[in-house]
Amino acid sequence: MPRIYQDISLKPYNTFGVEAKARYLASFSGEQELRDLLNDSQFGEMPVLLLGGGSNILFTRDFEGLVLVNRIGGIEMLEEDDQYCVIKVGAGENWDELVDYCVNNGWGGLENLSYIPGSVGASPIQNIGAYGTEVKDTIQMVHTLNRDSLFPVAYNNHDCRFDYRNSIFKNRLKDKRIITHVTFKLSKKPQYNIHYGSLKETVQEKGEINLQTIRDSVIEIRRSKLPEPEETGSAGSFFKNPVVGQKEFKKLQAAHPDIPSYTLAGKRHKIPAGWLIDRLGWKGYREGDAGVHTRQALVLVNYGQAGGREIYQLSQRIGESVKSAFGIELEYEVNVL
Ligand code: FAD
Ligand code: EPU
């Protein structure tokens, strides 16, 4: 049975670095340990919170229940030929270490997702994405335990209902499944995808286009825009980029001719929330230790001692100002607890 900590600070377990206490906390490194913890009568009907790297969560209060930190490790080769390989990865593996491992082996598919913090197990939950790639493009299977019955249930790619920063696990099955492993299908003859923003130029400056130069370039661009979790608390983008229909977009464009957007299928338009927030003058705003990042207005930051509530209240004020200026309701990307 894993060691159980009582009344423990969650500050080291969330990249925002906010203070909150958990009534109980334990880590598990295998399915049997997880079952033992969930069956333990001392926790009774207490709420349970799964955590990976804590890089997409904001604690606004203490957690009066059991926090379970996923440390299931391992990378297993399931199938391989000269075109593809299929690997099954423990949900507690560090995401960026997996990307590095795949790049070093010459397996393509994850390189654009370099340097995203967090665990492998959380990657399907919001279908992590960056630089023109989403993790759904490589996921074959998501292996879970049903939280009530503790039976294993596996989901193929289609069943995961992946969408922009969304999946069945963030939606209908939120808090109902525990992801234990993820299976990825990676290519040994990768198609490089370097069309997002300045990625192409950054890669080309490195001379050769390959998995390693793409990974290095993505890391370089991310470091120039996003806060380093070890230095400044954040959870990456706080809000999702809103998607609007053609009529609404035309109205916005008439009022703000320089509004950037990406056109999606069905004449829908994705608008960078960072631009909306920036336009309203929030970039670099700071109130106490809660603030808006100086280089990316979509990222809220903790400069040291900010509480989760302060950050949440700031996010609400930003949301209200975007609503009143542009008529757009921003949706949270971060899981607020
Ligand atoms: P956690 O924060 O620990 O958990 C997130 C949610 O998933 C919680 O609701 C938790 O209860 C649940 N959960 C976690 N593990 C499991 C499990 N095994 N089973 C069931 N439920 C579980 N995201 C992007 O998509 N693209 C980016 O470019 C990006 N950049 C970022 C940059 C920075 C600086 C930071 C701090 C974050 C960024 N993020 C980005 C957000 C974050 O890294 C991802 O969402 C990541 O997948 C979260 O992983 P985690 O293990 O830290 O999840
Ligand atoms: N912009 C501004 N001001 C800002 C920020 C952005 O004007 O302060 C505008 C610029 O026009 C820029 C555009 O917004 O060209 C897009 O900015 P960026 O390329 O930084 O991307 P983003 O849309 O703000 C999204 C993801 C990030 C991901 C990057 C790169 C969401 C919610 N965020 O950000 O994901 O890393 O693209 O692909 O989709 C995360 O989810 O936590 C995250 C960091």
Side-chain angles (χ1 to χ4, degrees):
M1 184 76 164
R3 179 159 175 203
I4 295 159
Y5 297 87
Q6 208 171 334
D7 296 322
I8 187 171
S9 167
L10 290 168
K11 199 167 177 165
Y13 294 93
N14 73 97
T15 59
F16 253 124
V18 300
E19 187 53 87
K21 277 209 166 70
R23 179 84 182 278
Y24 296 104
L25 179 142
S27 304
F28 60 94
S29 48
E31 287 179 41
Q32 195 47 51
E33 283 186 354
L34 174 59
R35 283 199 180 86
D36 291 345
L37 284 160
L38 290 169
N39 279 328
D40 190 321
S41 57
Q42 72 170 307
F43 305 120
E45 296 295 299
M46 268 185 195
V48 171
L49 175 73
L50 256 290
L51 266 192
S55 64
N56 206 24
I57 195 157
L58 177 65
F59 292 108
T60 61
R61 57 172 170 83
D62 291 342
F63 187 71
E64 286 300 324
L66 172 64
V67 173
L68 291 177
V69 184
N70 192 330
R71 301 259 190 253
I72 298 178
I75 302 177
E76 187 189 349
M77 178 66 76
L78 295 186
E79 281 172 44
E80 190 175 14
D81 61 19
D82 54 357
Q83 299 281 335
Y84 293 102
C85 66
V86 177
I87 55 171
K88 185 174 178 182
V89 186
E93 289 284 347
N94 175 274
W95 174 260
D96 193 50
E97 285 172 17
L98 172 67
V99 177
D100 191 45
Y101 178 81
C102 294
V103 166
N104 281 328
N105 278 291
W107 304 334
L110 304 183
E111 58 283 357
N112 292 43
L113 305 176
S114 289
Y115 217 54
I116 296 180
S119 61
V120 167
S123 67
I125 296 177
Q126 71 156 8
N127 177 25
I128 57 169
Y131 299 93
T133 301
E134 289 183 322
V135 75
K136 73 170 171 53
D137 302 332
T138 48
I139 287 182
Q140 199 176 59
M141 247 5 204
V142 176
H143 307 263
T144 74
L145 280 194
N146 179 314
R147 224 192 242 193
D148 298 324
S149 68
L150 301 186
F151 282 133
V153 198
Y155 295 83
N156 66 26
N157 185 292
H158 177 261
D159 294 340
C160 292
R161 301 277 184 262
F162 288 123
D163 199 352
Y164 165 62
R165 293 297 188 276
N166 211 349
S167 76
I168 197 164
F169 308 108
K170 200 174 177 178
N171 229 300
R172 193 161 67 73
L173 296 181
K174 187 170 167 60
D175 298 329
K176 292 189 164 61
R177 298 290 179 271
I178 297 171
I179 297 174
T180 57
H181 296 85
V182 183
T183 300
F184 300 90
K185 184 174 181 181
L186 303 167
S187 172
K188 293 188 179 174
K189 309 249 163 76
Q191 300 275 324
Y192 305 129
N193 171 10
I194 54 169
H195 302 296
Y196 185 97
S198 60
L199 182 56
K200 192 171 186 175
E201 292 92 83
T202 313
V203 178
Q204 279 168 344
E205 277 165 21
K206 305 203 183 303
E208 204 186 317
I209 304 177
N210 58 41
L211 296 178
Q212 190 63 53
T213 53
I214 295 174
R215 171 167 166 78
D216 293 344
S217 303
V218 167
I219 294 176
E220 198 176 304
I221 299 170
R222 292 180 66 94
R223 281 190 168 145
S224 72
K225 287 190 185 182
L226 294 164
E228 294 282 342
E230 296 75 33
E231 289 163 17
T232 310
S234 90
S237 302
F238 203 88
F239 302 98
K240 292 187 196 180
N241 286 329
V243 175
V244 299
Q246 176 83 338
K247 212 167 126 199
E248 192 178 351
F249 182 67
K250 290 271 176 235
K251 251 170 61 188
L252 283 164
Q253 214 176 23
H256 313 278
D258 55 340
I259 193 165
S261 72
Y262 319 95
T263 307
L264 307 174
K267 292 194 181 153
R268 294 182 315 145
H269 302 264
K270 192 192 269 182
I271 299 168
W275 185 89
L276 302 172
I277 298 168
D278 192 355
R279 198 22 111 73
L280 297 173
W282 285 103
K283 186 143 90 183
Y285 178 83
R286 179 170 175 171
E287 209 173 77
D289 272 356
V292 180
H293 190 46
T294 49
R295 297 191 302 270
Q296 227 303 0
L298 195 48
V299 177
L300 301 196
V301 290
N302 175 8
Y303 286 107
Q305 302 303 320
R309 270 193 212 168
E310 276 171 75
I311 294 166
Y312 181 63
Q313 279 159 6
L314 175 59
S315 77
Q316 285 192 310
R317 286 172 50 207
I318 293 171
E320 282 158 17
S321 84
V322 167
K323 173 83 181 155
S324 83
F326 300 102
I328 293 177
E329 192 107 37
L330 292 181
E331 243 182 84
Y332 285 127
E333 179 192 296
V334 170
N335 299 279
V336 178
L337 198 104

